[in-house]
Amino acid sequence: MNAVDMKSGEVAKCPGCEPVWEAMTHSDASTACAVLKEAQRRWAAKPLSERLRVLRAARHTLAERAGELADAISPQLARNRTDTLLAEVLPLLEACKFLEREAPKVLKTRRLGLRGRPLWLRGVWAEAHREPLGHVLVIAPANFPLLLAGAQTLQALAAGNSVTWKPGNGGGKAAELMAAILLEAGLPWGLLRVTGESVEAGMGAVRDGADKVVFTGSPAGGRAVLRELAETQTPAVMELSGTDAVVVLPSADMQRVAKAVAFGLRLNGSAVCMAPRRVFANAATMTALRPILQAELAKIPPVALNENVARQLSALLDEAKGAGAEVLGQFEPARQSPLMVEHADGSMEITRTDMFAPILALIQTPSMMHVPELLAESPFGLSASIFGNEGEARAMAASLKAGSVLINDVIVPTVDPRVAFGGRGASGFGVTRGPEGLLEMTALKMVLVRRGASTRYLDPTSDEDATLFQEAIIAMHGRTWRERAARTVSLLKAARKI
């Protein structure tokens, strides 16, 4: 089959694939959308088992070409090849395997039984069906270009949708490789489109139209996308950034805390939306933690900050120092080592601003009872970590406003494919991954069936019926069982006279 690469406009070959579209130019968006729509219709008509067979075949090939996938990811990211295999490729494969195993149960039609059905709806049977949305636009970030968008794309495809994948900066090569592997595994030609990496390509894909947009990126980028989507009332999932907190209880293992915080700041050169940015502890705990934390942070290799981040960080540090904070470490954006901001508080912008830089604000609390209130001073609510006795940590977790709360760990447990991920407040809305993320890729359709020959419920009512129905309401919802029983007897007697 002849088709045109959506980035270059060059004719590409897909041996053995059924033709779905004619050659087109990159600017021919209407034709591209028509192709995706037709491909999606055919794909959705296939049994789920057939769709999952394609994903299973792709997973095996992805595993065989894991090294190639790792090499396709931008070398500009501050990580080694092993980090990429562990942080992106392996979790992506697990996400695919999760779909193969769990999608039939998650997407299965749910039939509501008799339990809970109101008595007056006798004869009505209800079913909850999950259907594909149609076309899903996945807008990916630059920091984890394969795992996040790859898992979202697999979920959308498993649910029966077509997908446009807009890669982040440096993510195009990995996206194109995964798309090629899916084609090789049997994904119908025309079902998955990969755009260019630019912001213009992303906004163009938004304007081309989609039935849902899954966006991962900065709050500013999310707002720009939402403004466009508001015109067409297109639903979206927004997975945005955070200023994630680490709460250290007096019962915590300080060495574990320091090692976990250092891991979070080191991972991907601190370009992680869930990286720890704020540490909360009382005075005694902070005193015990500080030297251990400093020793662990000193082991982290420096990273180069881009010009925009360096300018932003410099201004935030100046503002914090002017408000009474003390900065431990040197501001050297060409080779930036971790910085700790002592005597920080929630009024300082450095504790309220998301950024990809190895910066950590230490916030001393009057008591641990104040922690939920202090955490809420930041508008973000992506995740939080609590270190200490599990019972105490669980009690505190219940009062924190965050999409995820981790106890005695940071970041790593969230890559479990069974776990949905999303934020609150300025960190976005909706979820990806897990059963809930798969359901985000579907539309709910309720099917209600009336059985039985009676049509009496369709007859008009009169004022004379009001007394009877008032009795029925008390019989069903009266305050005491005696009251309900008495009204039920009255109703039965009245029914015999009708």
Side-chain angles (χ1 to χ4, degrees):
M1 179 195 75
N2 290 345
V4 167
D5 182 276
M6 298 303 296
K7 283 182 66 179
S8 66
E10 296 176 355
V11 176
K13 300 283 186 179
C14 182
C17 296
E18 180 183 355
V20 177
W21 68 60
E22 299 297 326
M24 68 188 79
T25 65
H26 176 51
S27 61
D28 195 350
S30 61
T31 305
C33 291
V35 168
L36 289 166
K37 187 174 182 178
E38 175 59 19
Q40 186 274 325
R41 186 188 65 77
R42 297 184 186 189
W43 177 245
K46 292 179 180 292
L48 176 59
S49 59
E50 286 190 29
R51 302 200 296 266
L52 295 178
R53 271 200 292 270
V54 172
L55 267 60
R56 183 178 299 110
R59 174 168 61 88
H60 295 317
T61 304
L62 288 166
E64 292 164 356
R65 300 176 69 176
E68 192 177 344
L69 282 166
D71 292 339
I73 290 175
S74 173
Q76 310 237 337
L77 295 173
R79 60 165 96 142
N80 59 39
R81 197 166 186 258
T82 302
D83 286 341
T84 295
L85 289 170
L86 292 177
E88 299 226 49
V89 180
L90 181 58
L92 176 64
L93 296 173
E94 293 291 347
C96 189
K97 190 174 183 179
F98 169 84
L99 291 171
E100 298 164 33
R101 184 179 63 247
E102 300 296 330
K105 287 184 282 187
V106 176
L107 300 178
K108 183 180 179 181
T109 295
R110 182 167 58 92
R111 292 176 172 81
L112 282 63
L114 296 176
R115 184 178 177 84
R117 185 182 69 184
L119 180 64
W120 43 275
L121 286 176
R122 181 183 178 185
V124 174
W125 299 84
E127 299 170 353
H129 294 253
R130 287 290 175 173
E131 296 184 345
L133 290 163
H135 180 56
V136 176
L137 169 59
V138 174
I139 302 179
N143 60 333
F144 285 91
L146 180 64
L147 169 61
L148 301 183
Q152 294 157 5
T153 294
L154 291 174
Q155 288 196 312
L157 292 172
N161 300 289
S162 60
V163 179
T164 291
W165 179 341
K166 187 275 171 189
N169 290 336
K173 188 176 178 182
E176 289 167 0
L177 178 55
M178 182 167 166
I181 289 172
L182 282 163
L183 276 174
E184 181 184 324
L187 189 74
W189 189 253
L191 197 65
L192 173 58
R193 170 193 176 199
V194 177
T195 75
E197 299 176 3
S198 68
V199 172
E200 292 75 19
M203 296 309 291
V206 171
R207 296 184 189 106
D208 288 347
D211 295 295
K212 193 165 196 173
V213 174
V214 181
F215 175 89
T216 306
S218 70
R223 288 192 294 271
V225 169
L226 286 172
R227 281 192 290 270
E228 290 288 337
L229 297 181
E231 293 297 319
T232 54
Q233 298 180 323
T234 300
V237 171
M238 291 280 135
E239 187 177 316
L240 308 178
S241 198
T243 55
D244 286 10
V246 173
V247 178
V248 187
L249 301 176
S251 56
D253 178 338
M254 299 302 157
Q255 189 63 52
R256 184 183 188 90
V257 173
K259 194 169 183 178
V261 170
F263 168 83
L265 288 177
R266 183 182 69 246
L267 181 63
N268 208 37
S270 207
V272 181
C273 58
M274 298 174 65
R277 302 293 178 215
R278 299 176 292 160
V279 173
F280 293 84
N282 65 26
T285 302
M286 193 71 81
T287 298
L289 175 64
R290 187 180 293 105
I292 304 172
L293 185 57
Q294 284 179 298
E296 287 294 331
L297 296 190
K299 302 174 185 177
I300 298 176
V303 295
L305 304 182
N306 70 45
E307 186 178 337
N308 290 335
V309 172
R311 187 183 308 112
Q312 179 188 37
L313 179 56
S314 177
L316 291 172
L317 290 173
D318 288 344
E319 186 260 356
K321 286 186 284 188
E326 179 185 357
V327 178
L328 304 181
Q330 297 299 314
F331 176 62
E332 299 174 347
R335 286 178 53 81
Q336 186 61 63
S337 294
L339 299 173
M340 290 203 308
V341 180
E342 283 266 32
H343 313 302
D345 63 54
S347 69
M348 299 175 185
E349 285 302 313
I350 203 161
T351 68
R352 303 166 53 84
T353 303
D354 63 303
M355 75 180 86
F356 284 171
I359 182 76
L360 189 67
L362 305 184
I363 302 175
Q364 193 167 294
T365 65
S367 76
M368 301 316 290
M369 292 176 56
H370 292 84
V371 168
E373 178 185 346
L374 294 173
L375 256 69
E377 289 180 335
S378 169
F380 295 95
L382 191 57
S383 73
S385 294
I386 306 173
F387 285 82
N389 173 272
E390 183 178 332
E392 297 172 3
R394 283 181 174 274
M396 179 169 287
S399 62
L400 301 186
K401 182 180 177 181
S404 301
V405 178
L406 295 83
I407 295 176
N408 291 320
D409 209 345
V410 298
I411 302 174
V412 176
T414 63
V415 299
D416 184 337
R418 302 169 301 167
V419 174
F421 186 77
R424 298 173 63 180
S427 291
F429 49 84
V431 296
T432 62
R433 307 201 299 274
E436 295 82 2
L438 178 57
L439 291 176
E440 287 273 15
M441 304 297 184
T442 67
L444 174 64
K445 177 185 284 184
M446 297 301 304
V447 175
L448 303 155
V449 179
R450 168 73 73 173
R451 293 173 180 164
S454 175
T455 60
R456 189 170 182 179
Y457 67 96
L458 300 175
D459 293 342
T461 60
S462 66
D463 288 340
E464 286 73 23
D465 297 321
T467 300
L468 181 65
F469 282 106
Q470 286 174 351
E471 291 287 309
I473 288 171
I474 298 300
M476 290 183 283
H477 301 287
R479 189 176 299 276
T480 67
W481 71 267
R482 286 189 175 87
E483 190 175 17
R484 294 192 297 272
R487 298 304 174 93
T488 299
V489 171
S490 298
L491 280 173
L492 291 174
K493 290 178 179 178
R496 294 193 190 100
K497 299 175 182 179
I498 297 177

